[in-house]
Amino acid sequence: MVVNGVEWIALTPFAEVIGAEITENLLTGAVTITSNGNNFTCAPEKPAAQANGQPVTLSPAPVGWRGVVYAPLREVVSALKGSQEFDLDLTRGLARMRFPGSTTLFK
């Protein structure tokens, strides 16, 4: 979904689609996605996150809604060493990304 020009992704379904491991901390709400040795950790309403063990600041901060954590798509893809082939296509609801070890594009 796009809000105020920011492409947001629901982290758990996103991780499942790309075949990544996902860990959720029920106490803090933090979510960690691990894919091909790369990882990204964030928590709702907190701009401080980690990408491959390094601190990063997310702007805007991830949000939690109905038990789902949403984060800025570009930040997540970058942390997992992926690349967006093109921006979100609002008319068809598609985004294409490539991740290490993958020869196919995620749509």
Side-chain angles (χ1 to χ4, degrees):
M1 93 180 117
V2 178
V3 178
N4 295 329
V6 176
E7 301 163 358
W8 294 86
I9 193 79
L11 294 180
T12 300
F14 173 76
E16 292 170 354
V17 167
I18 66 169
E21 178 183 323
I22 187 152
T23 306
E24 298 181 57
N25 183 320
L26 298 178
L27 294 176
T28 64
V31 174
T32 300
I33 297 175
T34 304
S35 176
N36 295 308
N38 298 299
N39 62 62
F40 174 79
T41 302
C42 69
E45 317 309 329
K46 298 185 182 203
Q50 284 198 349
N52 299 307
Q54 300 298 312
V56 295
T57 301
L58 303 178
S59 180
V63 296
W65 187 65
R66 296 188 176 184
V68 177
V69 177
Y70 294 84
L73 176 64
R74 291 175 192 271
E75 303 284 347
V76 177
V77 171
S78 176
L80 297 175
K81 304 293 186 198
S83 63
Q84 277 186 267
E85 300 294 318
F86 59 83
D87 288 345
L88 192 66
D89 179 343
L90 295 176
T91 60
R92 297 186 347 215
L94 298 175
R96 294 184 188 214
M97 290 153 270
R98 184 180 305 278
F99 293 91
S102 172
T103 57
T104 61
L105 295 176
F106 164 77
K107 296 182 186 181

Coordinates of all heavy atoms in Angstrom, one line a residue:
M1 N 0.8 -1.2 0.0 CA 0.0 0.0 0.0 C 0.9 1.2 0.0 O 2.0 1.2 0.5 CB -1.0 -0.1 1.2 CG -0.5 0.6 2.4 SD -1.7 0.5 3.7 CE -0.7 -0.4 4.9
V2 N 0.4 2.3 -0.5 CA 1.1 3.6 -0.6 C 0.4 4.6 0.2 O -0.8 4.8 0.0 CB 1.3 4.1 -2.1 CG1 2.1 5.4 -2.1 CG2 2.1 3.0 -2.9
V3 N 1.1 5.2 1.2 CA 0.5 6.3 2.0 C 1.5 7.5 2.0 O 2.6 7.3 2.3 CB 0.2 5.8 3.4 CG1 -0.3 7.0 4.3 CG2 -0.7 4.6 3.4
N4 N 1.0 8.6 1.6 CA 1.9 9.8 1.5 C 3.2 9.6 0.8 O 4.2 10.0 1.2 CB 2.1 10.3 2.9 CG 0.9 10.8 3.6 OD1 0.0 11.3 3.0 ND2 0.9 10.7 4.9
G5 N 3.1 8.8 -0.3 CA 4.3 8.6 -1.2 C 5.2 7.5 -0.7 O 6.2 7.3 -1.3
V6 N 4.9 6.9 0.5 CA 5.7 5.8 1.0 C 5.1 4.4 0.7 O 3.9 4.2 1.0 CB 5.9 5.9 2.5 CG1 6.7 4.8 3.1 CG2 6.6 7.3 2.8
E7 N 5.8 3.5 0.1 CA 5.4 2.2 -0.1 C 5.6 1.3 1.1 O 6.7 1.2 1.6 CB 6.2 1.5 -1.3 CG 6.1 2.3 -2.5 CD 7.2 2.0 -3.5 OE1 8.1 1.1 -3.2 OE2 7.2 2.6 -4.6
W8 N 4.5 0.8 1.7 CA 4.5 0.0 2.9 C 4.3 -1.5 2.6 O 3.6 -1.8 1.7 CB 3.4 0.5 3.9 CG 3.6 1.8 4.4 CD1 3.2 3.0 3.8 CD2 4.2 2.2 5.6 NE1 3.6 4.1 4.5 CE2 4.2 3.6 5.7 CE3 4.8 1.5 6.6 CZ2 4.8 4.3 6.7 CZ3 5.4 2.2 7.7 CH2 5.3 3.6 7.7
I9 N 4.9 -2.3 3.4 CA 4.8 -3.8 3.2 C 4.4 -4.4 4.6 O 5.0 -4.0 5.6 CB 6.1 -4.4 2.6 CG1 5.8 -5.8 2.1 CG2 7.2 -4.4 3.6 CD1 5.1 -5.9 0.8
A10 N 3.5 -5.3 4.6 CA 3.2 -6.1 5.8 C 4.3 -7.2 5.9 O 4.5 -8.0 5.0 CB 1.8 -6.8 5.6
L11 N 5.0 -7.1 7.0 CA 6.3 -7.9 7.1 C 6.1 -9.4 7.1 O 6.8 -10.1 6.4 CB 7.1 -7.5 8.3 CG 7.6 -6.0 8.3 CD1 8.4 -5.7 9.5 CD2 8.5 -5.8 7.0
T12 N 5.1 -9.9 7.8 CA 5.0 -11.4 7.9 C 4.6 -12.0 6.5 O 5.3 -12.9 6.1 CB 4.0 -11.8 9.0 OG1 4.5 -11.3 10.2 CG2 3.8 -13.3 9.1
P13 N 3.6 -11.5 5.9 CA 3.3 -12.1 4.5 C 4.4 -11.9 3.5 O 4.7 -12.8 2.7 CB 2.0 -11.3 4.1 CG 1.4 -10.7 5.3 CD 2.6 -10.5 6.3
F14 N 5.1 -10.7 3.6 CA 6.2 -10.4 2.7 C 7.3 -11.5 2.9 O 7.8 -12.1 1.9 CB 6.7 -9.0 3.0 CG 8.0 -8.7 2.2 CD1 7.9 -8.4 0.9 CD2 9.2 -8.7 2.9 CE1 9.1 -8.1 0.2 CE2 10.4 -8.4 2.2 CZ 10.3 -8.1 0.8
A15 N 7.7 -11.8 4.1 CA 8.7 -12.8 4.4 C 8.3 -14.1 3.9 O 9.1 -14.9 3.4 CB 9.0 -12.8 5.9
E16 N 7.0 -14.5 4.1 CA 6.6 -15.8 3.6 C 6.7 -15.9 2.1 O 7.1 -17.0 1.6 CB 5.2 -16.0 4.1 CG 5.1 -16.2 5.6 CD 3.7 -16.2 6.2 OE1 2.7 -16.0 5.4 OE2 3.5 -16.5 7.4
V17 N 6.3 -14.9 1.4 CA 6.3 -14.9 0.0 C 7.7 -15.1 -0.6 O 8.0 -15.8 -1.5 CB 5.6 -13.6 -0.6 CG1 5.9 -13.5 -2.1 CG2 4.2 -13.7 -0.4
I18 N 8.7 -14.4 0.0 CA 10.1 -14.5 -0.5 C 10.9 -15.6 0.1 O 12.0 -15.8 -0.2 CB 10.9 -13.2 -0.3 CG1 11.1 -12.9 1.2 CG2 10.2 -12.0 -1.0 CD1 12.1 -11.7 1.5
G19 N 10.2 -16.5 1.0 CA 10.8 -17.6 1.5 C 11.8 -17.3 2.7 O 12.7 -18.1 2.9
A20 N 11.6 -16.2 3.3 CA 12.5 -15.8 4.4 C 12.0 -16.3 5.7 O 10.8 -16.7 5.9 CB 12.6 -14.3 4.5
E21 N 12.9 -16.4 6.7 CA 12.5 -16.8 8.1 C 12.0 -15.5 8.8 O 12.6 -14.4 8.6 CB 13.7 -17.3 8.8 CG 13.5 -17.7 10.2 CD 14.7 -18.2 10.9 OE1 15.5 -18.9 10.3 OE2 14.9 -17.9 12.1
I22 N 11.0 -15.6 9.6 CA 10.5 -14.5 10.3 C 10.4 -14.9 11.8 O 9.9 -16.0 12.1 CB 9.2 -14.0 9.8 CG1 8.8 -12.7 10.5 CG2 8.1 -15.0 9.9 CD1 7.9 -11.8 9.6
T23 N 10.8 -14.0 12.7 CA 10.7 -14.1 14.1 C 10.0 -12.9 14.7 O 10.3 -11.8 14.3 CB 12.1 -14.2 14.7 OG1 12.8 -15.3 14.1 CG2 12.0 -14.6 16.2
E24 N 9.0 -13.2 15.5 CA 8.2 -12.1 16.1 C 8.4 -12.2 17.6 O 8.2 -13.2 18.2 CB 6.7 -12.2 15.7 CG 6.5 -12.1 14.2 CD 5.1 -12.2 13.8 OE1 4.3 -11.4 14.3 OE2 4.7 -13.0 13.0
N25 N 8.7 -11.0 18.2 CA 8.8 -10.9 19.7 C 7.5 -10.4 20.2 O 7.1 -9.3 20.0 CB 9.9 -10.0 20.1 CG 10.1 -9.9 21.6 OD1 9.2 -9.9 22.3 ND2 11.4 -9.8 22.0
L26 N 6.7 -11.3 20.9 CA 5.4 -10.9 21.3 C 5.4 -9.9 22.4 O 4.4 -9.1 22.6 CB 4.6 -12.2 21.8 CG 4.4 -13.2 20.7 CD1 3.7 -14.4 21.3 CD2 3.7 -12.7 19.5
L27 N 6.5 -9.7 23.2 CA 6.6 -8.7 24.2 C 6.8 -7.3 23.7 O 6.2 -6.4 24.1 CB 7.7 -9.1 25.2 CG 7.5 -10.4 26.0 CD1 8.7 -10.7 26.9 CD2 6.2 -10.3 26.9
T28 N 7.7 -7.2 22.7 CA 8.1 -5.9 22.2 C 7.4 -5.6 20.9 O 7.3 -4.4 20.5 CB 9.6 -5.8 21.9 OG1 9.9 -6.7 20.9 CG2 10.4 -6.1 23.2
G29 N 6.8 -6.6 20.2 CA 6.2 -6.4 18.9 C 7.3 -6.3 17.8 O 6.9 -6.2 16.6
A30 N 8.5 -6.5 18.1 CA 9.6 -6.5 17.1 C 9.5 -7.7 16.2 O 9.1 -8.8 16.6 CB 11.0 -6.5 17.8
V31 N 9.8 -7.4 14.9 CA 9.8 -8.5 13.9 C 11.2 -8.5 13.2 O 11.8 -7.5 12.9 CB 8.8 -8.1 12.8 CG1 8.8 -9.1 11.6 CG2 7.4 -8.1 13.4
T32 N 11.7 -9.7 13.1 CA 13.0 -9.9 12.4 C 12.8 -10.8 11.2 O 12.2 -11.9 11.3 CB 14.1 -10.6 13.3 OG1 14.3 -9.7 14.4 CG2 15.4 -10.8 12.6
I33 N 13.3 -10.4 10.0 CA 13.2 -11.1 8.8 C 14.7 -11.5 8.5 O 15.5 -10.6 8.4 CB 12.6 -10.3 7.6 CG1 11.2 -10.0 7.9 CG2 12.7 -11.1 6.3 CD1 10.6 -9.1 6.9
T34 N 14.9 -12.8 8.2 CA 16.2 -13.3 7.8 C 16.1 -14.0 6.4 O 15.3 -14.9 6.3 CB 16.8 -14.2 8.8 OG1 16.8 -13.6 10.1 CG2 18.2 -14.7 8.5
S35 N 16.9 -13.5 5.5 CA 16.9 -14.1 4.1 C 18.4 -14.2 3.6 O 19.0 -13.1 3.5 CB 16.1 -13.3 3.2 OG 16.1 -13.8 1.9
N36 N 18.8 -15.4 3.3 CA 20.2 -15.6 2.7 C 21.3 -14.9 3.6 O 22.2 -14.2 3.0 CB 20.2 -15.1 1.3 CG 19.3 -15.9 0.4 OD1 19.4 -17.1 0.4 ND2 18.4 -15.2 -0.3
G37 N 21.2 -15.0 4.9 CA 22.2 -14.4 5.8 C 22.0 -12.9 6.0 O 22.8 -12.3 6.8
N38 N 21.1 -12.3 5.5 CA 20.8 -10.9 5.7 C 19.6 -10.8 6.6 O 18.7 -11.6 6.5 CB 20.5 -10.1 4.4 CG 21.7 -10.2 3.5 OD1 22.7 -9.7 3.8 ND2 21.5 -10.8 2.3
N39 N 19.6 -9.7 7.5 CA 18.4 -9.6 8.4 C 18.0 -8.2 8.6 O 18.8 -7.2 8.4 CB 18.7 -10.3 9.7 CG 19.8 -9.7 10.5 OD1 19.8 -8.5 10.8 ND2 20.9 -10.5 10.7
F40 N 16.8 -8.0 9.0 CA 16.2 -6.7 9.2 C 15.3 -6.9 10.4 O 14.4 -7.8 10.5 CB 15.3 -6.3 8.0 CG 14.6 -5.0 8.2 CD1 15.2 -3.8 8.1 CD2 13.2 -5.1 8.5 CE1 14.5 -2.6 8.3 CE2 12.5 -3.9 8.7 CZ 13.1 -2.7 8.6
T41 N 15.4 -6.0 11.4 CA 14.6 -6.0 12.6 C 14.0 -4.6 12.9 O 14.8 -3.6 12.8 CB 15.5 -6.4 13.9 OG1 16.0 -7.7 13.6 CG2 14.6 -6.5 15.1
C42 N 12.7 -4.6 13.2 CA 12.1 -3.3 13.5 C 10.9 -3.6 14.4 O 10.5 -4.8 14.6 CB 11.6 -2.6 12.3 SG 10.3 -3.4 11.4
A43 N 10.4 -2.6 15.1 CA 9.3 -2.7 16.0 C 8.3 -1.5 15.6 O 8.8 -0.4 15.2 CB 9.7 -2.6 17.4
P44 N 7.0 -1.7 15.8 CA 6.1 -0.7 15.6 C 6.3 0.6 16.3 O 6.7 0.5 17.5 CB 4.7 -1.3 16.0 CG 5.0 -2.8 16.1 CD 6.4 -2.9 16.4
E45 N 6.1 1.7 15.7 CA 6.2 3.1 16.3 C 7.6 3.5 16.7 O 7.8 4.4 17.4 CB 5.3 3.2 17.5 CG 3.9 2.6 17.3 CD 3.1 3.0 16.0 OE1 3.3 4.2 15.5 OE2 2.4 2.2 15.5
K46 N 8.6 2.7 16.3 CA 10.0 3.0 16.7 C 10.9 3.2 15.4 O 11.0 2.2 14.6 CB 10.6 1.9 17.5 CG 9.8 1.7 18.8 CD 10.5 0.7 19.7 CE 9.6 0.6 21.0 NZ 10.2 0.1 22.1
P47 N 11.4 4.4 15.2 CA 12.2 4.6 14.0 C 13.6 3.9 14.1 O 14.2 3.6 13.0 CB 12.4 6.1 14.0 CG 12.1 6.6 15.4 CD 11.2 5.6 16.0
A48 N 14.0 3.5 15.3 CA 15.3 2.8 15.4 C 15.1 1.3 15.0 O 14.2 0.7 15.5 CB 15.9 2.9 16.8
A49 N 15.9 0.9 14.0 CA 15.8 -0.5 13.5 C 17.2 -1.0 13.3 O 18.2 -0.3 13.6 CB 15.0 -0.6 12.2
Q50 N 17.4 -2.3 12.9 CA 18.7 -2.8 12.6 C 18.6 -3.5 11.2 O 17.7 -4.2 10.9 CB 19.1 -3.8 13.6 CG 19.6 -3.2 14.9 CD 20.4 -4.2 15.7 OE1 20.5 -5.4 15.4 NE2 21.1 -3.7 16.7
A51 N 19.7 -3.3 10.5 CA 19.8 -4.0 9.2 C 21.2 -4.7 9.2 O 22.2 -4.0 9.3 CB 19.8 -3.0 8.0
N52 N 21.2 -6.0 9.2 CA 22.5 -6.8 9.3 C 23.4 -6.3 10.5 O 24.5 -6.2 10.3 CB 23.2 -6.7 7.9 CG 22.4 -7.2 6.8 OD1 21.9 -8.4 6.9 ND2 22.1 -6.5 5.8
G53 N 22.7 -6.1 11.6 CA 23.4 -5.8 12.8 C 23.8 -4.3 13.0 O 24.4 -3.9 14.0
Q54 N 23.5 -3.5 12.0 CA 23.9 -2.1 12.0 C 22.6 -1.3 12.3 O 21.6 -1.6 11.7 CB 24.5 -1.7 10.7 CG 25.8 -2.4 10.3 CD 26.9 -2.2 11.3 OE1 27.1 -1.0 11.7 NE2 27.5 -3.3 11.8
P55 N 22.8 -0.3 13.1 CA 21.6 0.6 13.4 C 21.2 1.4 12.2 O 22.0 1.9 11.4 CB 22.0 1.5 14.5 CG 23.5 1.5 14.5 CD 23.9 0.2 13.8
V56 N 19.9 1.5 11.9 CA 19.3 2.3 10.9 C 18.1 3.1 11.4 O 17.5 2.6 12.4 CB 18.9 1.5 9.6 CG1 20.1 0.9 8.9 CG2 17.8 0.5 10.0
T57 N 17.9 4.2 10.9 CA 16.7 5.0 11.3 C 15.7 5.0 10.2 O 16.0 5.4 9.1 CB 17.1 6.4 11.7 OG1 18.1 6.4 12.7 CG2 15.9 7.2 12.1
L58 N 14.5 4.5 10.5 CA 13.4 4.4 9.5 C 12.6 5.7 9.5 O 12.2 6.1 10.6 CB 12.5 3.2 9.7 CG 13.2 1.9 9.8 CD1 12.2 0.8 10.1 CD2 13.9 1.6 8.4
S59 N 12.4 6.3 8.4 CA 11.5 7.4 8.3 C 10.6 7.3 7.1 O 11.0 7.2 6.0 CB 12.3 8.7 8.2 OG 11.5 9.8 8.1
P60 N 9.3 7.0 7.4 CA 8.7 7.0 8.7 C 8.9 5.7 9.5 O 9.3 4.7 8.9 CB 7.2 7.2 8.3 CG 7.1 6.6 6.9 CD 8.4 6.9 6.3
A61 N 8.6 5.8 10.8 CA 8.7 4.6 11.6 C 7.7 3.5 11.2 O 6.6 3.8 10.7 CB 8.5 5.0 13.1
P62 N 8.0 2.2 11.4 CA 7.0 1.2 11.2 C 5.8 1.4 12.0 O 5.8 2.0 13.0 CB 7.8 -0.1 11.6 CG 9.2 0.3 11.6 CD 9.3 1.7 11.9
V63 N 4.7 0.8 11.5 CA 3.4 0.9 12.3 C 2.9 -0.5 12.5 O 3.1 -1.4 11.7 CB 2.4 1.8 11.5 CG1 2.9 3.2 11.4 CG2 2.1 1.2 10.2
G64 N 2.1 -0.6 13.6 CA 1.4 -1.8 13.8 C -0.1 -1.6 13.7 O -0.6 -0.6 14.1
W65 N -0.8 -2.5 13.0 CA -2.2 -2.4 12.8 C -2.8 -3.7 12.8 O -2.4 -4.6 12.0 CB -2.5 -1.6 11.6 CG -3.9 -1.2 11.4 CD1 -4.7 -0.4 12.2 CD2 -4.8 -1.7 10.4 NE1 -6.0 -0.3 11.7 CE2 -6.1 -1.1 10.6 CE3 -4.7 -2.6 9.3 CZ2 -7.2 -1.4 9.8 CZ3 -5.7 -2.8 8.5 CH2 -7.0 -2.2 8.7
R66 N -3.7 -4.0 13.7 CA -4.4 -5.3 13.8 C -3.5 -6.5 13.9 O -3.7 -7.5 13.2 CB -5.4 -5.4 12.7 CG -6.5 -4.4 12.7 CD -7.6 -4.7 11.7 NE -8.7 -3.8 11.9 CZ -9.8 -3.8 11.2 NH1 -10.0 -4.7 10.3 NH2 -10.7 -2.9 11.4
G67 N -2.4 -6.3 14.7 CA -1.5 -7.4 14.9 C -0.5 -7.6 13.8 O 0.3 -8.5 13.8
V68 N -0.4 -6.7 12.8 CA 0.5 -6.8 11.7 C 1.4 -5.6 11.7 O 1.0 -4.4 11.9 CB -0.3 -6.8 10.3 CG1 0.7 -6.8 9.1 CG2 -1.2 -8.0 10.3
V69 N 2.7 -5.8 11.5 CA 3.7 -4.7 11.4 C 4.0 -4.4 10.0 O 4.2 -5.3 9.2 CB 5.0 -5.1 12.1 CG1 6.1 -4.0 12.0 CG2 4.8 -5.5 13.6
Y70 N 3.8 -3.1 9.7 CA 4.1 -2.6 8.3 C 5.4 -1.7 8.4 O 5.5 -1.0 9.3 CB 2.9 -1.7 7.9 CG 1.7 -2.5 7.6 CD1 0.8 -2.8 8.7 CD2 1.3 -2.9 6.4 CE1 -0.4 -3.5 8.5 CE2 0.2 -3.7 6.2 CZ -0.7 -3.9 7.2 OH -1.8 -4.6 7.0
A71 N 6.2 -1.8 7.4 CA 7.5 -1.1 7.3 C 7.6 -0.5 5.9 O 7.1 -1.1 5.0 CB 8.7 -1.9 7.7
P72 N 8.4 0.5 5.8 CA 8.7 1.1 4.4 C 9.4 0.0 3.6 O 10.4 -0.5 3.9 CB 9.6 2.3 4.7 CG 9.4 2.6 6.1 CD 9.1 1.3 6.8
L73 N 8.8 -0.3 2.4 CA 9.3 -1.3 1.5 C 10.7 -1.2 1.1 O 11.5 -2.1 1.2 CB 8.4 -1.4 0.3 CG 8.8 -2.3 -0.8 CD1 8.7 -3.8 -0.3 CD2 7.9 -2.2 -2.0
R74 N 11.1 0.0 0.7 CA 12.5 0.2 0.3 C 13.5 -0.1 1.3 O 14.6 -0.7 1.1 CB 12.7 1.7 -0.2 CG 11.9 2.0 -1.5 CD 12.1 3.5 -1.8 NE 11.2 3.8 -2.8 CZ 11.4 3.8 -4.1 NH1 12.6 3.3 -4.6 NH2 10.5 4.1 -5.0
E75 N 13.2 0.2 2.6 CA 14.1 -0.1 3.7 C 14.3 -1.6 3.9 O 15.4 -2.1 4.1 CB 13.6 0.6 5.0 CG 13.4 2.1 4.9 CD 14.7 2.8 5.0 OE1 15.8 2.3 5.3 OE2 14.7 4.0 4.7
V76 N 13.2 -2.3 3.8 CA 13.2 -3.7 4.0 C 14.0 -4.4 2.9 O 14.9 -5.2 3.1 CB 11.8 -4.3 4.2 CG1 11.9 -5.8 4.3 CG2 11.1 -3.7 5.3
V77 N 13.7 -4.1 1.7 CA 14.4 -4.6 0.5 C 15.9 -4.4 0.6 O 16.7 -5.2 0.4 CB 13.7 -4.1 -0.8 CG1 14.6 -4.6 -2.0 CG2 12.3 -4.7 -0.9
S78 N 16.2 -3.1 0.9 CA 17.6 -2.8 1.0 C 18.4 -3.6 2.1 O 19.5 -4.1 1.9 CB 17.8 -1.3 1.3 OG 19.1 -0.9 1.4
A79 N 17.7 -3.7 3.2 CA 18.4 -4.4 4.3 C 18.6 -5.9 4.0 O 19.6 -6.5 4.4 CB 17.5 -4.4 5.6
L80 N 17.7 -6.5 3.2 CA 17.8 -7.9 2.8 C 18.7 -8.0 1.5 O 18.7 -9.1 0.9 CB 16.5 -8.5 2.6 CG 15.6 -8.5 3.9 CD1 14.2 -9.0 3.6 CD2 16.2 -9.4 5.0
K81 N 19.3 -6.9 1.1 CA 20.2 -6.9 0.0 C 19.5 -7.2 -1.3 O 20.0 -7.8 -2.3 CB 21.4 -7.9 0.1 CG 22.2 -7.7 1.4 CD 23.0 -6.4 1.3 CE 23.9 -6.2 2.5 NZ 24.3 -4.9 2.7
G82 N 18.2 -6.9 -1.4 CA 17.4 -7.0 -2.6 C 17.5 -5.8 -3.4 O 18.1 -4.8 -3.0
S83 N 16.9 -5.8 -4.5 CA 16.8 -4.6 -5.4 C 15.4 -4.5 -6.0 O 14.9 -5.5 -6.4 CB 17.9 -4.6 -6.4 OG 17.7 -5.7 -7.3
Q84 N 14.9 -3.3 -6.0 CA 13.6 -3.1 -6.7 C 13.9 -2.9 -8.2 O 14.7 -2.0 -8.5 CB 12.8 -1.9 -6.1 CG 12.1 -2.3 -4.9 CD 11.2 -1.1 -4.4 OE1 11.7 -0.4 -3.6 NE2 10.0 -1.1 -4.9
E85 N 13.2 -3.6 -9.0 CA 13.4 -3.5 -10.4 C 12.7 -2.2 -10.9 O 13.1 -1.6 -11.9 CB 13.0 -4.7 -11.2 CG 13.7 -6.0 -10.8 CD 15.1 -5.9 -11.2 OE1 15.5 -5.5 -12.3 OE2 16.0 -6.4 -10.4
F86 N 11.6 -1.9 -10.3 CA 10.9 -0.6 -10.6 C 10.0 -0.3 -9.5 O 9.7 -1.2 -8.6 CB 10.1 -0.7 -12.0 CG 9.1 -1.8 -12.0 CD1 7.8 -1.6 -11.5 CD2 9.4 -3.0 -12.7 CE1 6.9 -2.6 -11.6 CE2 8.4 -4.0 -12.8 CZ 7.2 -3.7 -12.2
D87 N 9.5 0.9 -9.4 CA 8.6 1.3 -8.3 C 7.3 0.6 -8.4 O 6.9 0.1 -9.4 CB 8.4 2.8 -8.3 CG 9.7 3.5 -7.9 OD1 10.6 2.9 -7.3 OD2 9.7 4.8 -8.1
L88 N 6.6 0.7 -7.3 CA 5.3 0.1 -7.2 C 4.4 0.6 -8.4 O 4.3 1.8 -8.6 CB 4.6 0.5 -5.9 CG 3.4 -0.3 -5.5 CD1 3.7 -1.7 -5.2 CD2 2.8 0.3 -4.2
D89 N 3.7 -0.3 -9.0 CA 2.8 0.0 -10.1 C 1.4 0.1 -9.5 O 0.7 -0.9 -9.2 CB 2.8 -1.0 -11.2 CG 1.9 -0.8 -12.3 OD1 0.9 0.0 -12.2 OD2 2.1 -1.4 -13.4
L90 N 0.9 1.3 -9.2 CA -0.4 1.5 -8.5 C -1.6 1.0 -9.4 O -2.6 0.6 -8.8 CB -0.6 2.9 -8.2 CG 0.4 3.5 -7.2 CD1 0.1 5.0 -7.0 CD2 0.3 2.8 -5.9
T91 N -1.4 0.9 -10.7 CA -2.6 0.5 -11.5 C -2.7 -1.0 -11.4 O -3.9 -1.5 -11.6 CB -2.4 0.9 -13.0 OG1 -1.2 0.4 -13.5 CG2 -2.3 2.4 -13.1
R92 N -1.7 -1.7 -11.2 CA -1.8 -3.2 -11.2 C -1.4 -3.8 -9.8 O -1.5 -5.0 -9.6 CB -0.9 -3.8 -12.2 CG -1.3 -3.4 -13.6 CD -0.6 -4.1 -14.7 NE 0.6 -4.7 -14.3 CZ 1.7 -4.8 -15.1 NH1 1.8 -4.2 -16.2 NH2 2.8 -5.4 -14.7
G93 N -0.9 -2.9 -8.9 CA -0.5 -3.4 -7.5 C 0.7 -4.3 -7.5 O 0.7 -5.2 -6.8
L94 N 1.7 -4.0 -8.3 CA 2.9 -4.8 -8.4 C 4.1 -4.1 -8.0 O 4.3 -2.9 -8.3 CB 3.1 -5.3 -9.9 CG 2.0 -6.2 -10.5 CD1 2.3 -6.5 -11.9 CD2 1.8 -7.5 -9.7
A95 N 5.0 -4.8 -7.4 CA 6.4 -4.3 -7.2 C 7.3 -5.5 -7.5 O 7.0 -6.6 -7.2 CB 6.6 -3.9 -5.8
R96 N 8.4 -5.3 -8.2 CA 9.3 -6.4 -8.6 C 10.6 -6.2 -7.8 O 11.1 -5.1 -7.8 CB 9.6 -6.4 -10.1 CG 8.4 -6.7 -10.9 CD 8.8 -6.8 -12.4 NE 7.6 -6.9 -13.1 CZ 7.5 -7.7 -14.2 NH1 8.6 -8.3 -14.7 NH2 6.4 -7.7 -14.9
M97 N 11.0 -7.3 -7.2 CA 12.3 -7.2 -6.4 C 13.1 -8.5 -6.7 O 12.5 -9.5 -7.0 CB 11.9 -7.1 -4.9 CG 11.4 -5.8 -4.5 SD 10.3 -6.0 -3.1 CE 8.7 -6.3 -3.9
R98 N 14.4 -8.3 -6.5 CA 15.3 -9.5 -6.7 C 16.1 -9.6 -5.4 O 16.5 -8.6 -4.9 CB 16.2 -9.2 -7.9 CG 17.1 -10.4 -8.2 CD 18.0 -10.1 -9.4 NE 17.3 -9.7 -10.6 CZ 16.8 -10.6 -11.4 NH1 16.8 -11.9 -11.2 NH2 16.2 -10.2 -12.5
F99 N 16.3 -10.8 -4.9 CA 17.0 -11.1 -3.7 C 18.2 -12.0 -4.0 O 18.1 -12.8 -4.9 CB 16.1 -11.7 -2.6 CG 15.1 -10.7 -2.2 CD1 13.8 -10.7 -2.8 CD2 15.3 -9.8 -1.2 CE1 12.9 -9.7 -2.4 CE2 14.4 -8.9 -0.8 CZ 13.1 -8.9 -1.4
P100 N 19.2 -11.9 -3.2 CA 20.4 -12.8 -3.4 C 20.0 -14.2 -3.4 O 19.1 -14.7 -2.7 CB 21.3 -12.5 -2.2 CG 20.9 -11.1 -1.7 CD 19.4 -11.0 -2.0
G101 N 20.6 -15.0 -4.3 CA 20.3 -16.4 -4.4 C 19.0 -16.7 -5.2 O 18.7 -17.9 -5.3
S102 N 18.4 -15.7 -5.7 CA 17.2 -15.9 -6.4 C 17.3 -15.5 -7.9 O 17.9 -14.4 -8.2 CB 16.0 -15.1 -5.8 OG 14.9 -15.2 -6.6
T103 N 16.8 -16.3 -8.8 CA 16.9 -15.9 -10.2 C 15.5 -15.4 -10.7 O 15.4 -15.0 -11.8 CB 17.3 -17.1 -11.1 OG1 16.4 -18.1 -10.9 CG2 18.7 -17.5 -10.7
T104 N 14.6 -15.4 -9.8 CA 13.2 -14.9 -10.2 C 12.9 -13.6 -9.5 O 13.5 -13.3 -8.5 CB 12.2 -16.0 -9.9 OG1 12.2 -16.2 -8.5 CG2 12.4 -17.3 -10.6
L105 N 11.9 -13.0 -10.0 CA 11.5 -11.7 -9.5 C 10.2 -12.0 -8.6 O 9.4 -12.7 -9.0 CB 11.2 -10.7 -10.5 CG 12.3 -10.2 -11.4 CD1 11.8 -9.3 -12.5 CD2 13.4 -9.5 -10.5
F106 N 10.2 -11.3 -7.5 CA 9.0 -11.3 -6.7 C 8.0 -10.2 -7.2 O 8.5 -9.1 -7.5 CB 9.3 -11.0 -5.2 CG 8.2 -10.6 -4.4 CD1 7.3 -11.6 -3.9 CD2 8.0 -9.3 -4.0 CE1 6.2 -11.2 -3.1 CE2 6.9 -8.9 -3.2 CZ 6.1 -9.9 -2.8
K107 N 6.8 -10.5 -7.4 CA 5.8 -9.6 -7.9 C 4.8 -9.3 -6.9 O 4.3 -10.2 -6.3 CB 5.2 -10.0 -9.2 CG 6.1 -10.2 -10.3 CD 5.3 -10.6 -11.5 CE 6.3 -11.0 -12.7 NZ 5.5 -11.4 -13.9

